[in-house]
Amino acid sequence: MRNRWLVMLSAASAVVVTLAIASGRVAGQGTATGSAGWTAPKTSWGDPDLRGIWTNEETSTPMQRPAKFGTRELLTDEEVAEAEKQAMARYERAVAAQDPSGPRSNADIERTKGTVEAGIYGAEYNNVWMARPSKPGPLRWKRTSLIVDPPEGQMPPYTPELLKRLEEREEARKHRGEADTWEDRNLNERCMTPQSATGLTGTVRLIQAPGWVAILPDGLQYAKLVPLDGRPQVSSKIRGWFGRSRGRWEGDKLIVETTNFIPKLDGGPVLASRRPYGVGYIGTGETLRRIETYRRIGPDQMEYGMTTDDPKVFVKPYTVLRPMMLQNDFLMLQSGCHEGNYGMPNILSAGRADEGYALRAALEAAAERKPQLAAMKRRTEEFQKTGKISAPDPSRGPANADQ
């Protein structure tokens, strides 16, 4: 299996290198004009030019719209000024809370005093791997929420079918410890990352060639090669962790539609311990259709959109829009996962060393998820009765420390 992955990755690398050679920049041949007289560039073969390294632009915009905004989509100038002030305050607090000896915050240190986690939690990696607080600039994204559809700006409720599956997975979780087998651990711990590269997960590099676009993510992901020649989707029997993508242009917007995900995105029939709802994809992925959009809106800014359509998981599709910023000097990391080399054997052996503790910890995590599941059911029942999408219950903090 390892050798097969090496061959596949080598082949993907060869295609990416070919695309990179074919995608040398040609000075502006654009026709679409943006704000302040900016003209969107075109490639030498006439496609909108999206090439480069794009990072998530810092924004204080919440995923779901706060109730005080109702259905209003944009902030006022006064609200923008206040948001900038709050962003600077958060930055200053983050700087003050840093632990100079490691990546733990002062809150981590205080919380773990006198516990078995003391000196461990938050210090699993050294500072080389940790992002440092970055000073915020002017707020350019003025939306009241990242979710723009439904118009309420809220995540749609889950379907009764999805909630029933969650209850079944919780039932299967009972009487199992934290690490009876590897299936009790979540997919990220198992070095399996089914959430293929999207603009919501961080930094991506876009490489273009006639009839193709390559999306290279930063960190623990794999390149996505997207044909733009109108070829049909493959058979629904051909599936994979990252699905199968097809792309097209609609004006100056690149649209990438991905289906054919392997129906194991949630990890399988047993709910992974220490895995709060809402972390990772909550459905199997069998009926998931993901539509991504990339549209350049300024010299160094791109509007990224993602629509999630899964009739077995959500009562209706939802769409997220967020800004991305061109940052070609960003150092992208090699895709790799070293935790699986030693982490999984150690986790499993620790579970065997103290079976009683492992079971108690799993039961505690399940108890903390119980109110969250009840709140999810209430939202679904309300939608079934009224057809309205209400705001979710306010967060009471992490479902457990590992979140």
Side-chain angles (χ1 to χ4, degrees):
M1 178 65 73
R2 180 180 303 161
N3 291 337
R4 187 184 74 169
W5 273 108
L6 287 174
V7 171
M8 292 173 67
L9 288 175
S10 297
S13 299
V15 174
V16 169
V17 169
T18 302
L19 287 171
I21 293 173
S23 60
R25 290 189 175 277
V26 176
Q29 300 177 15
T31 56
T33 302
S35 59
W38 173 75
T39 300
K42 295 272 190 177
T43 64
S44 59
W45 56 92
D47 287 340
D49 192 346
L50 304 178
R51 292 171 294 184
I53 298 175
W54 298 90
T55 64
N56 284 166
E57 183 168 340
E58 292 293 334
T59 172
S60 59
T61 310
M63 176 65 77
Q64 304 192 76
R65 185 176 299 136
K68 65 180 181 180
F69 295 119
T71 57
R72 178 156 61 90
E73 294 188 24
L74 300 176
L75 298 172
T76 64
D77 291 342
E78 292 76 13
E79 289 167 339
V80 169
E82 179 61 24
E84 290 176 342
K85 180 180 177 181
Q86 292 179 4
M88 182 59 70
R90 286 193 297 270
Y91 164 73
E92 292 172 349
R93 287 195 299 269
V95 170
Q98 289 184 111
D99 174 15
S101 65
R104 295 177 298 164
S105 68
N106 292 333
D108 285 333
I109 297 171
E110 187 65 29
R111 185 184 65 77
T112 57
K113 279 183 178 178
T115 72
V116 294
E117 292 179 297
I120 300 175
Y121 181 76
E124 297 90 341
Y125 299 90
N126 62 32
N127 282 332
V128 171
W129 303 97
M130 296 299 166
R132 295 323 222 172
S134 57
K135 191 173 183 178
L139 182 63
R140 301 194 295 177
W141 195 253
K142 301 179 181 180
R143 291 189 173 275
T144 54
S145 62
L146 295 181
I147 293 179
V148 297
D149 188 61
E152 296 90 345
Q154 304 293 336
M155 188 85 73
Y158 297 110
T159 62
E161 181 178 357
L162 183 278
L163 296 173
K164 182 175 183 293
R165 176 172 169 80
L166 289 180
E167 290 175 333
E168 291 171 348
R169 297 179 74 212
E170 287 283 10
E171 188 66 27
R173 168 86 258 154
K174 289 181 178 178
H175 312 299
R176 297 181 68 93
E178 290 264 87
D180 286 4
T181 75
W182 58 88
E183 292 181 327
D184 292 291
R185 311 311 303 176
N186 65 68
L187 294 179
N188 286 343
E189 289 181 353
R190 294 161 61 187
C191 290
M192 303 166 73
T193 54
Q195 298 300 302
S196 59
T198 73
L200 292 183
T201 56
T203 300
V204 295
R205 181 181 181 187
L206 300 182
I207 299 175
Q208 296 172 249
W212 288 89
V213 63
I215 304 174
L216 283 73
D218 178 49
L220 187 56
Q221 291 286 355
Y222 295 97
K224 182 161 60 178
L225 303 176
V226 183
L228 307 175
D229 55 7
R231 68 183 65 183
Q233 181 58 283
V234 297
S235 166
S236 61
K237 296 180 180 180
I238 302 175
R239 294 175 173 268
W241 287 108
F242 306 102
R244 296 291 186 269
S245 297
R246 296 291 183 266
R248 66 185 184 274
W249 291 102
E250 289 189 3
D252 61 351
K253 184 184 295 184
L254 172 65
I255 299 177
V256 177
E257 183 170 341
T258 305
T259 58
N260 293 36
F261 291 93
I262 195 169
K264 299 178 181 180
L265 299 192
D266 60 1
V270 177
L271 185 72
S273 184
R274 299 280 173 176
R275 194 62 168 170
Y277 301 131
V279 178
Y281 194 65
I282 200 169
T284 66
E286 181 181 12
T287 54
L288 172 61
R289 183 169 70 109
R290 178 168 287 151
I291 302 171
E292 299 170 81
T293 60
Y294 299 82
R295 184 172 71 92
R296 198 161 179 170
I297 57 177
D300 66 342
Q301 195 176 37
M302 179 168 66
E303 177 189 82
Y304 171 82
M306 185 173 75
T307 297
T308 298
D309 183 4
D310 192 335
K312 287 190 176 182
V313 175
F314 300 101
V315 298
K316 59 172 59 179
Y318 71 94
T319 299
V320 175
L321 284 182
R322 73 157 301 134
M324 301 190 78
M325 183 169 57
L326 188 62
Q327 195 173 350
N328 284 326
D329 59 351
F330 183 89
L331 178 61
M332 296 184 67
L333 299 176
Q334 177 185 0
S335 178
C337 177
H338 65 270
E339 284 82 355
N341 294 336
Y342 57 85
M344 189 56 64
N346 290 346
I347 290 172
L348 295 178
S349 64
R352 303 290 73 71
D354 194 337
E355 299 276 3
Y357 176 87
L359 179 59
R360 289 194 304 274
L363 291 174
E364 289 172 2
E368 291 171 343
R369 289 191 300 267
K370 192 173 182 179
Q372 189 180 4
L373 180 56
M376 292 157 59
K377 293 177 71 174
R378 286 195 297 271
R379 285 192 79 215
T380 297
E381 291 167 357
E382 180 182 354
F383 177 81
Q384 290 177 315
K385 292 177 181 178
T386 67
K388 296 180 180 179
I389 298 178
S390 62
D393 290 348
S395 173
R396 299 179 183 178
N400 57 62
D402 289 336
Q403 186 174 0

